[in-house]
Amino acid sequence: MGDEATGDERIGIICDSNHQVFGVVAETLRKRGYDVEFLEPGVEQPRDRLDRLTMLVNKKARWESLDALEYAERNGIKTWNGYVASLLLFNRVSQLGCLAAAGFRIPSILTEPPDGDYVAKGFIDIGDDPVANGTGDFYQRLLDADGPDHKYYAVHDGTETHTAVVRFDSKLHGERERLGPGTIDTDVAVRIERLLDFLGARALGVDVIRVDDRWVAVDSNPATSFKHTGLETPLADSIEDALRG
């Protein structure tokens, strides 16, 4: 896709090297002539190592990742799903605002636990999972969903947006179980494209649930796994296009 690699372009991916999706993405990029290396997630990235990169890709929601993305952009290193998009979506309150701005229906934010069942969340979506009926920085009523969670994955390759959806049990009920692929709803896909454009992002995930015959967006992640989506080639195309842009 695009111009051929020159052989001296180095892409760093903050991700475990054995990741089942981004391992394939890295190998695809290597076959296209790029030098690709994995950077250990959850640790401070040495500045001299970042300085050798042409592009930085982040696949891990960690404070150290935000720090590395900010450093890269301040020093002329290209990023894929950069600092601003990650900063906005890692903050759950601004995340909900972004989803609403893209046209999604979102749950109300409460400062105190409501009557009945509810979800407690921390402000920052980094190593902090929502809990049912617990203590958090803010609260949302537990919505009565019609069916499982639907996680949408979207990636823009420079020409078009590729979308996949996977159904999951709610993470509020313990270990999240994958239930299989879902059917893409056109209205949801359009809103996700709007969100990508709004954030200047290349790829993200959005969790939606069906409530009263309407979709409600409850979460968005700019460092999502893309597992079980079959989007490895569009992801490689997207990274390459961002590198060329």
Side-chain angles (χ1 to χ4, degrees), residues 123-175:
F123 285 135
I124 306 301
D125 191 5
I126 296 179
D128 178 77
D129 288 331
V131 294
N133 302 325
T135 302
D137 296 320
F138 69 94
Y139 305 90
Q140 296 171 316
R141 288 185 173 85
L142 183 64
L143 301 177
D144 187 12
D146 304 326
D149 292 2
H150 287 66
K151 188 170 188 69
Y152 278 74
Y153 299 85
V155 54
H156 194 276
D157 66 5
T159 302
E160 63 180 308
T161 300
H162 301 262
T163 306
V165 59
V166 181
R167 297 176 300 119
F168 289 92
D169 275 341
S170 172
K171 66 173 65 174
L172 295 173
H173 305 313
E175 189 67 26

Side-chain angles (χ1 to χ4, degrees), residues 1-244:
M1 183 175 180
D3 300 328
E4 291 186 2
T6 63
D8 58 359
E9 294 159 310
R10 179 171 294 174
I11 301 169
I13 306 177
I14 302 176
C15 181
D16 295 326
S17 60
N18 61 353
H19 192 275
Q20 70 182 62
V21 173
F22 281 86
V24 175
V25 171
E27 190 57 33
T28 300
L29 291 167
R30 290 184 184 115
K31 289 178 180 178
R32 296 179 184 180
Y34 298 98
D35 184 354
V36 183
E37 63 178 296
F38 284 95
L39 309 176
E40 183 182 355
V43 300
E44 183 178 354
Q45 302 300 328
R47 295 323 192 216
D48 59 345
R49 191 172 186 183
L50 292 175
D51 288 338
R52 296 197 301 268
L53 299 178
T54 312
M55 166 160 283
L56 178 64
V57 175
N58 178 46
K59 168 40 205 81
K60 208 69 175 177
R62 295 290 184 271
W63 289 111
E64 294 86 356
S65 295
L66 276 177
D67 179 62
L69 288 168
E70 182 183 27
Y71 177 85
E73 293 186 0
R74 286 184 181 276
N75 289 276
I77 301 163
K78 293 182 178 181
T79 60
W80 181 83
N81 271 14
Y83 175 69
V84 171
S86 299
L87 187 66
L88 286 171
L89 294 184
F90 287 163
N91 182 304
R92 285 194 172 103
V93 175
S94 65
Q95 174 194 113
L96 289 167
C98 291
L99 288 165
F104 282 105
R105 183 185 176 196
I106 60 170
S108 298
I109 295 173
L110 306 171
T111 58
E112 298 291 339
D115 294 334
D117 291 330
Y118 62 88
V119 181
K121 295 182 177 180
F123 285 135
I124 306 301
D125 191 5
I126 296 179
D128 178 77
D129 288 331
V131 294
N133 302 325
T135 302
D137 296 320
F138 69 94
Y139 305 90
Q140 296 171 316
R141 288 185 173 85
L142 183 64
L143 301 177
D144 187 12
D146 304 326
D149 292 2
H150 287 66
K151 188 170 188 69
Y152 278 74
Y153 299 85
V155 54
H156 194 276
D157 66 5
T159 302
E160 63 180 308
T161 300
H162 301 262
T163 306
V165 59
V166 181
R167 297 176 300 119
F168 289 92
D169 275 341
S170 172
K171 66 173 65 174
L172 295 173
H173 305 313
E175 189 67 26
R176 198 174 212 189
E177 180 182 355
R178 178 173 58 91
L179 303 176
T183 302
I184 295 172
D185 183 285
T186 303
D187 289 340
V188 173
V190 167
R191 291 185 180 101
I192 291 175
E193 287 196 52
R194 193 179 300 151
L195 182 61
L196 284 167
D197 184 62
F198 171 66
L199 293 171
R202 290 279 179 163
L204 48 78
V206 175
D207 289 5
V208 298
I209 58 176
R210 195 76 171 168
V211 180
D212 298 332
D213 206 33
R214 295 176 63 188
W215 291 110
V216 178
V218 296
D219 186 64
S220 185
N221 186 355
T224 193
S225 72
F226 283 90
K227 291 180 180 178
H228 312 293
T229 65
L231 294 177
E232 287 85 352
T233 297
L235 285 164
D237 292 343
S238 178
I239 293 170
E240 184 175 21
D241 183 73
L243 184 62
R244 294 291 176 212

